[in-house]
Amino acid sequence: MELHDVWFVLIAVLWTGYFFLEGFDFGVGVLTRLLARNRVEKRVLINTIGPVWDGNEVWLLTAGGATFAAFPDWYATLFSGFYLPLLVILVCLIVRGVAFEYRAKRPEENWQRNWETAIFWTSLIPAFLWGVAFGNIVHGVKIDQHFEYVGSFWDLLNPYALLGGLVTLTLFTFHGTVFTALKTVGDIRERARKLATKVGLVTATLASVFLLWTQVDSGDAKSLVALVVAVAALVAALVANQAGREGWSFALSGVTIVAAVAMLFLTLFPNVMPSSLDTDWNLTVTNASSSPYTLKIMTWCAGIATPIVLLYQSWTYWVFRKRIGTQHIAEAVH
């Protein structure tokens, strides 16, 4: 396997890790409107992801940096063609981080309510737009012979990509709901399990249509296996949730995300960004990659840094592994 193939796989792994981890905290942000009944319950939800949300975003920074260094032409075409949606995602992530940090800085109800509203919208919008972006990457966009995007913003809002956005939004919300059931106690835990069933059924329907569309459009035997695993894991997650096995449900919803992202990258390879105008103008792992020397240096750096990142993130999740509930918020306030 060539180094550019290795880095395609590594970038796929980074995006998978990002969607697995950031997926549930996007979902929890959406639940501040869908599940929480009062201010105390909103604080419970925010506290479940409070120690980990910023660490989860490390995966996005690493995925973006790796794409820039390993496949500069892919990075250039992607970020110039998808400039507006990616800018919206960036602004949302900035505002979201500020909202988490500033929400409790003042006691006024309006102040805290406004930041809670910001958390909801800046969780929902990126969860949707990431699906739209990856839908377009997999389906193909208007790239010319100079490997430049020549379409418009409205070309990105096609039915396949919009369906992809709905899939990521519902899948992340389901992932966040089972995470909430896993991390909380009391009434909010029970309501999270009930909501997970409803959201999961919607997710299963949308995801099945989207993945089947992808398979018919550009799939092969390997992507078909990933499709079956994704759908089976989602159904199993729903069954585990009904049985009150939150840990298994969360793990299986994570498997769904991993398998679905794997399927998208399997259908994409060896392209990194197909052209809908002419297949000869596709960006591939070969024509979009950096020099072999650059990839070699990157491989050594990744081999040293990646285990360190995994260790400190694992330690963070272990330290903050206990469940919380409204009673803990009351004690803290008192």
Side-chain angles (χ1 to χ4, degrees):
M1 181 181 286
E2 299 289 338
L3 277 179
H4 50 66
D5 296 332
V6 172
W7 272 97
F8 179 85
V9 173
L10 290 176
I11 288 171
V13 170
L14 290 170
W15 280 109
T16 302
Y18 174 67
F19 287 144
F20 180 93
L21 296 172
E22 188 86 313
F24 71 74
D25 70 44
F26 279 149
V28 171
V30 173
L31 291 180
T32 57
R33 281 285 185 90
L34 298 184
L35 182 65
R37 290 177 173 173
N38 52 52
R39 303 290 305 290
V40 175
E41 289 189 352
K42 286 183 179 181
R43 186 171 173 185
V44 170
L45 292 174
I46 293 171
N47 283 5
T48 62
I49 59 174
V52 298
W53 69 267
D54 48 355
N56 294 344
E57 292 187 356
V58 169
W59 291 79
L60 172 62
L61 298 175
T62 309
T67 303
F68 171 76
F71 299 100
D73 288 343
W74 182 15
Y75 183 93
T77 304
L78 176 65
F79 277 78
S80 59
F82 293 19
Y83 182 82
L84 184 57
L86 291 177
L87 176 62
V88 172
I89 291 174
L90 176 62
V91 171
C92 284
L93 294 180
I94 293 172
V95 173
R96 188 168 180 263
V98 173
F100 281 128
E101 298 297 332
Y102 274 68
R103 175 189 168 276
K105 296 299 184 182
R106 289 171 56 178
E108 292 88 343
E109 184 175 343
N110 286 340
W111 171 273
Q112 296 190 3
R113 184 187 299 112
N114 289 337
W115 286 121
E116 289 162 0
T117 300
I119 290 172
F120 169 76
W121 285 109
T122 56
S123 298
L124 185 148
I125 293 172
F128 175 75
L129 288 180
W130 279 128
V132 174
F134 270 83
N136 278 293
I137 291 172
V138 173
H139 199 56
V141 291
K142 294 180 178 179
I143 298 175
D144 66 10
Q145 66 270 29
H146 303 296
F147 303 128
E148 295 179 358
Y149 178 73
V150 293
S152 67
F153 167 75
W154 303 109
D155 291 326
L156 302 177
L157 303 180
N158 56 79
Y160 178 83
L162 292 174
L163 178 59
L166 292 176
V167 170
T168 52
L169 175 58
T170 54
L171 181 55
F172 291 169
T173 303
F174 174 71
H175 197 41
T177 309
V178 294
F179 176 79
T180 300
L182 176 65
K183 286 289 294 179
T184 57
V185 294
D187 180 57
I188 193 170
R189 174 188 177 189
E190 297 302 319
R191 284 188 284 113
R193 284 176 51 199
K194 293 178 181 178
L195 182 59
T197 299
K198 298 176 182 177
V199 176
L201 291 173
V202 175
T203 304
T205 302
L206 293 174
S208 297
V209 174
F210 178 74
L211 295 179
L212 283 172
W213 189 345
T214 305
Q215 178 65 26
V216 171
D217 188 47
S218 54
D220 56 15
K222 293 179 181 178
S223 62
L224 180 60
V225 172
L227 184 156
V228 172
V229 171
V231 174
L234 183 54
V235 172
L238 283 166
V239 173
N241 177 70
Q242 284 290 98
R245 304 296 297 272
E246 292 99 343
W248 278 104
S249 183
F250 178 72
L252 288 165
S253 69
V255 171
T256 302
I257 292 174
V258 172
V261 177
M263 180 188 176
L264 295 181
F265 276 92
L266 284 170
T267 59
L268 192 59
F269 186 82
N271 299 315
V272 295
M273 207 166 177
S275 171
S276 60
L277 300 178
D278 191 325
T279 55
D280 290 337
W281 301 339
N282 290 350
L283 281 167
T284 68
V285 293
T286 304
N287 64 26
S289 68
S290 293
S291 67
Y293 182 75
T294 300
L295 297 177
K296 185 177 180 179
I297 296 298
M298 288 176 60
T299 304
W300 279 104
C301 294
I304 295 170
T306 302
I308 297 173
V309 173
L310 292 175
L311 282 173
Y312 83 69
Q313 278 208 292
S314 300
W315 179 79
T316 302
Y317 278 94
W318 175 256
V319 169
F320 296 99
R321 66 189 182 278
K322 293 183 179 180
R323 295 176 182 265
I324 62 173
T326 54
Q327 66 272 26
H328 300 107
I329 300 300
E331 290 173 3
V333 172
H334 177 71

